[in-house]
């Protein structure tokens, strides 16, 4: 029976591997990062997130969706349905699992390498066995875990950005759908008034009480009103379908009903003095850009630390020969920096770091500009909507009342009365559009303060650049 005696090198390697296994191993979190994303989303939209599994889709989540769709749908209800039911958002949330898996993997040591060779000749047989451990990987586990932890945090921010953006888009779509339905109803009234006017014109023309020119004017107006009604109905359908896509509903779920009218204007507009400071504290894309810069700086430090030596393996070797005592010792593998001193990799990491710094500064500058523009649109649309509500619509109502009095006194004809009705409907439609534009501008302002404030493509480019910079700067393991 052969008895092996441990060498100091073997004991060191074994101790290091055991320390890595016991202290460096990371495990998956119970919530997969969803609680943090839900908290960020709730703070900005008032709605939390729930990531249901496919096998549980027919359970409480679908029951809540059915309950919300069964009643006249409000803006908050539409946002709730979208956060529960939109599959694109679920795909984004599933990306949290990918980032967490990378984090757990970064906390684990690379598997040891085993070698075995057997040579025979001249009546002798030589067998060599070895086990090698990645010492550089073992020493850099804390740094790599820190980098992946920042990437996991970035994935949470990106998922929260998607949720906040979906909530804002859904709220805008709800305002558009309700306003489009209201406009279609008014277009129907215009068409009915135009048809009545055209029929009256035909009868008066047959009796010889109307000129051919006036009769043709009434006919063409009726024809245009019919065309306008067709456009308004299509716009109402398109706006409704846009809302349905964002909510992720299909089949019988698309039979939802909307509120009949838009919400009233608030009593006073919000103050715009602190919108920039709020955006700097709450904008998720700015926070993501800062995190990207921090992770890239960490990766730059790792590249500098491993720029000279990035492969150092050490392990135990055992050799036995026929008729000779067993030999044992250790082996070290070091890649000699003869052709590559790591300068290019470090230079690339430095360039990526400066790129992330400039990107962070650009994100902050753009965020300030976007929130100023959003507040200008918010305040302008509020003033316009209030102007229509307090000035134009009451004046038009007074004009209509005076016109009706003159018609009852036989001072004006029926065509003047119908023309006034058409003007009233046109101005009421403009008032509805101004009210709609205000609520959309209000939603855009909230998105500029709390979310990304930009397009989805721009936000996605920030996320992808964050992941790419860390990958490029990370050491080769």
């Amino acid at each position: 029976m052969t008895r092996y005696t441990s060498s100091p090198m073997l004991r060191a390697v074994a101790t290091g591997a055991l320390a890595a296994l016991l202290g460096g191993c990371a495990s998956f979190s119970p919530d997969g990062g969803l609680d943090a994303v839900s908290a960020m989303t709730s703070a900005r939209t008032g709605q939390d997130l729930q990531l249901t599994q496919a096998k549980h889709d027919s359970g409480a989540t679908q029951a809540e969706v059915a309950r919300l769709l069964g009643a006249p749908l409000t803006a908050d209800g539409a946002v709730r349905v979208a956060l529960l039911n939109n599959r694109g958002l679920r795909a984004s949330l599933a990306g949290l699992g990918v980032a967490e898996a990378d984090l757990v993997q970064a906390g684990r040591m690379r598997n040891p390498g085993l070698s075995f060779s057997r040579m025979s000749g001249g009546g002798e047989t030589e067998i060599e066995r070895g086990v090698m451990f990645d010492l550089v990987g073992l020493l850099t586990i804390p740094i790599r875990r820190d980098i992946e932890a920042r990437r996991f945090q970035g994935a949470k921010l990106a998922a929260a950005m998607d949720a906040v953006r979906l909530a804002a888009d859904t709220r805008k779509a709800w305002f558009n759908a309700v306003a489009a339905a209201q406009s279609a109803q008014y277009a129907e009234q215009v068409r009915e008034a135009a048809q009545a006017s055209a029929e009256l014109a035909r009868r008066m023309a047959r009796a010889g009480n109307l000129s051919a020119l006036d009769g043709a004017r009434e006919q063409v107006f009726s024809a245009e009103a019919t065309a306008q009604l067709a456009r308004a109905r299509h716009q109402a359908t398109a706006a409704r379908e846009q809302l349905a896509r964002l909510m992720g509903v299909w089949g019988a779920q698309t039979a939802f009903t909307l509120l009949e009218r838009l919400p009233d204007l608030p009593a006073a507009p919000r103050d715009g003095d602190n919108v920039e400071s709020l955006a700097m504290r709450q904008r998720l894309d700015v926070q993501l850009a800062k995190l990207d810069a921090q992770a890239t700086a960490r990766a730059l430090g790792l590249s500098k630390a491993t720029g000279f030596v990035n492969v150092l393996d050490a392990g135990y070797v055992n050799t036995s020969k026929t008729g000779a005592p067993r030999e044992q010792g250790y082996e070290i593998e070091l890649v000699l920096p003869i052709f590559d001193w790591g300068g290019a990799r470090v230079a690339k990491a430095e360039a990526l770091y400066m790129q992330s710094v400039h990107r962070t500064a650009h994100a902050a500058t753009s965020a300030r500009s976007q929130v100023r523009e959003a507040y200008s649109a918010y305040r302008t649309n509020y003033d316009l909507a209030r102007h229509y509500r307090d000035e134009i619509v009451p004046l038009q109502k007074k004009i209509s009342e005076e016109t009706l009095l003159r018609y009852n006194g036989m001072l004006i004809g029926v065509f003047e009365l119908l023309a006034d009705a058409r003007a009233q409907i046109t101005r009421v439609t403009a008032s509805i559009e101004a009210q709609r534009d205000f609520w959309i501008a209000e939603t855009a302002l909230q998105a500029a303060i709390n979310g990304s404030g930009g397009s989805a493509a721009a936000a996605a480019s920030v996320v992808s650049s964050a992941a790419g910079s860390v990958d490029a700067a990370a050491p080769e393991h």
Side-chain angles (χ1 to χ4, degrees):
M1 180 177 179
T2 303
R3 183 176 182 181
Y4 298 98
T5 303
S6 300
S7 67
M9 185 64 187
L10 179 59
R11 289 195 297 270
V13 171
T15 302
L18 182 61
L21 290 174
L22 296 179
C25 288
S27 60
F28 289 92
S29 60
D31 64 299
L34 181 63
D35 289 349
V37 177
S38 180
M40 287 186 283
T41 305
S42 178
R44 289 163 175 80
T45 66
Q47 306 269 4
D48 59 355
L49 287 178
Q50 296 178 9
L51 182 60
T52 56
Q53 303 297 328
K55 58 183 179 182
H56 298 149
D57 277 355
S58 59
T61 300
Q62 290 304 312
E64 185 176 1
V65 170
R67 181 184 62 80
L68 291 169
L69 295 176
L73 195 61
T74 63
D76 290 338
V79 171
R80 185 62 182 165
V81 172
L83 294 179
L84 288 173
N85 207 45
N86 187 282
R87 293 305 180 98
L89 178 61
R90 289 192 187 188
S92 177
L93 295 178
L96 291 173
V98 178
E100 188 178 30
D102 291 339
L103 172 60
V104 173
Q105 185 65 41
R108 295 176 178 175
M109 187 178 177
R110 196 181 71 177
N111 290 328
L114 299 176
S115 63
F116 177 84
S117 65
R118 181 179 184 279
M119 300 182 64
S120 62
E124 293 184 350
T125 301
E126 180 179 351
I127 300 176
E128 183 174 338
R129 313 169 192 84
V131 55
M132 303 292 289
F133 293 91
D134 178 16
L135 293 183
V136 173
L138 176 63
L139 296 175
T140 57
I141 280 180
I143 301 178
R144 288 189 286 120
R145 286 192 60 191
D146 181 76
I147 294 172
E148 293 299 338
R150 294 177 192 275
R151 290 185 62 183
F152 185 38
Q153 182 63 25
K156 295 176 186 176
L157 288 172
M161 285 172 57
D162 290 341
V164 173
R165 185 182 302 110
L166 174 63
D169 291 344
T170 304
R171 192 174 292 275
K172 291 178 185 177
W174 186 89
F175 290 131
N176 269 322
V178 174
Q182 282 186 268
S183 297
Q185 292 176 359
Y186 277 100
E188 177 72 28
Q189 295 181 22
V190 171
R191 198 271 303 267
E192 291 176 357
Q195 287 180 339
S197 178
E199 178 61 24
L200 180 61
R202 278 194 294 270
R203 293 180 180 179
M204 294 180 68
R206 284 197 297 268
N209 296 326
L210 187 68
S211 67
L213 177 60
D214 290 338
R217 286 172 178 170
E218 295 300 326
Q219 297 297 326
V220 73
F221 177 76
S222 177
E224 288 180 349
T226 302
Q228 183 60 34
L229 175 60
R231 294 192 190 95
R233 285 176 173 172
H234 169 69
Q235 290 173 358
T237 301
R240 184 185 175 88
E241 291 301 326
Q242 171 68 16
L243 178 60
R245 286 194 294 273
L246 291 171
M247 293 193 300
V249 298
W250 62 284
Q253 293 177 327
T254 58
F256 60 86
T257 57
L258 298 170
L259 293 183
E260 295 182 354
R261 57 190 300 273
L262 292 168
D264 294 332
L265 291 177
R270 62 174 296 170
D271 191 5
D273 292 339
N274 61 342
V275 291
E276 287 190 48
S277 58
L278 282 176
M280 289 300 99
R281 290 197 302 268
Q282 298 182 197
R283 291 262 305 211
L284 294 173
D285 59 340
V286 175
Q287 296 182 19
L288 183 59
K290 292 179 180 177
L291 193 66
D292 174 34
Q294 295 170 0
T296 309
R298 191 66 169 164
L300 172 60
L302 180 58
S303 295
K304 289 181 177 178
T306 60
F308 184 72
V309 176
N310 59 3
V311 175
L312 175 60
D313 292 343
Y316 168 73
V317 178
N318 181 289
T319 304
S320 60
K321 296 181 181 179
T322 303
R326 186 182 298 270
E327 299 175 351
Q328 53 189 355
Y330 60 87
E331 180 180 357
I332 296 177
E333 179 184 353
L334 171 66
V335 175
L336 297 178
I338 297 177
F339 303 107
D340 182 7
W341 290 78
R345 189 152 51 89
V346 173
K348 180 180 179 181
E350 291 176 347
L352 288 172
Y353 172 68
M354 291 307 302
Q355 187 182 48
S356 65
V357 170
H358 293 312
R359 188 179 291 115
T360 303
H362 175 70
T365 304
S366 298
R368 289 180 179 276
S369 174
Q370 288 173 359
V371 76
R372 289 195 300 268
E373 180 184 354
Y375 183 78
S376 175
Y378 163 83
R379 186 54 194 265
T380 301
N381 282 286
Y382 178 84
D383 293 340
L384 285 174
R386 188 172 60 181
H387 185 65
Y388 269 97
R389 184 194 64 183
D390 298 342
E391 300 291 338
I392 296 178
V393 173
L395 285 175
Q396 179 60 48
K397 183 179 179 182
K398 184 176 181 180
I399 292 173
S400 298
E401 292 173 351
E402 293 294 330
T403 303
L404 182 60
L405 289 175
R406 284 165 173 73
Y407 174 77
N408 292 336
M410 302 182 67
L411 299 176
I412 60 174
V414 66
F415 292 114
E416 286 82 358
L417 183 65
L418 292 175
D420 177 74
R422 292 197 295 267
Q424 182 181 11
I425 291 173
T426 301
R427 291 189 172 90
V428 170
T429 302
S431 176
I432 293 172
E433 293 175 350
Q435 194 174 357
R436 175 204 61 191
D437 293 342
F438 162 74
W439 284 113
I440 291 178
E442 195 271 343
T443 304
L445 176 60
Q446 293 297 329
I449 293 174
N450 296 320
S452 63
S455 64
S461 66
V462 174
V463 176
S464 61
S465 64
S469 62
V470 177
D471 282 339
E476 299 171 355
H477 290 297

